Amino acid sequence: NWWCYSGSEIYALGTSLIYQKSWWAERKFPSVQVGEDNAFVTDAWCRGQLLSVDAGKLMYATIHPENTSPRQMGSNWTAL
């Protein structure tokens, strides 16, 4: 099954982030198992430093047994 996420305006996939090394050095990802990029993205958005654009069909990911965190397909996900 294929799913599409359409939710929060501050949503940006961690696998698609591009940032300056100096920005990251001041705001390193926390050492957590799930959602390590959430605080990073939220901070960038709050500071007016996040630009998020629709990637169309350029980003695909899979859910598989080796995922480091569980994935729940909730109300922000629609089947394609």
Side-chain angles (χ1 to χ4, degrees), residues 37-79:
D37 54 335
N38 292 342
F40 188 84
V41 168
T42 300
D43 185 40
W45 182 79
C46 289
R47 294 170 184 267
Q49 298 295 311
L50 178 69
L51 175 62
S52 180
V53 296
D54 184 349
K57 296 181 179 182
L58 295 176
M59 178 65 184
Y60 291 92
T62 61
I63 298 173
H64 53 82
E66 289 79 31
N67 279 112
T68 57
S69 61
R71 302 288 176 214
Q72 299 298 323
M73 309 315 281
S75 62
N76 288 335
W77 296 87
T78 54

Side-chain angles (χ1 to χ4, degrees), residues 2-71:
W2 290 96
W3 299 82
C4 179
Y5 179 84
S6 58
S8 170
E9 64 185 29
I10 63 169
Y11 188 79
L13 292 171
T15 54
S16 68
L17 297 178
I18 299 173
Y19 46 85
Q20 293 180 335
K21 186 175 181 178
S22 59
W23 177 270
W24 167 83
E26 295 175 13
R27 300 161 184 86
K28 293 183 180 179
F29 296 121
S31 181
V32 296
Q33 185 69 27
V34 178
E36 68 280 353
D37 54 335
N38 292 342
F40 188 84
V41 168
T42 300
D43 185 40
W45 182 79
C46 289
R47 294 170 184 267
Q49 298 295 311
L50 178 69
L51 175 62
S52 180
V53 296
D54 184 349
K57 296 181 179 182
L58 295 176
M59 178 65 184
Y60 291 92
T62 61
I63 298 173
H64 53 82
E66 289 79 31
N67 279 112
T68 57
S69 61
R71 302 288 176 214

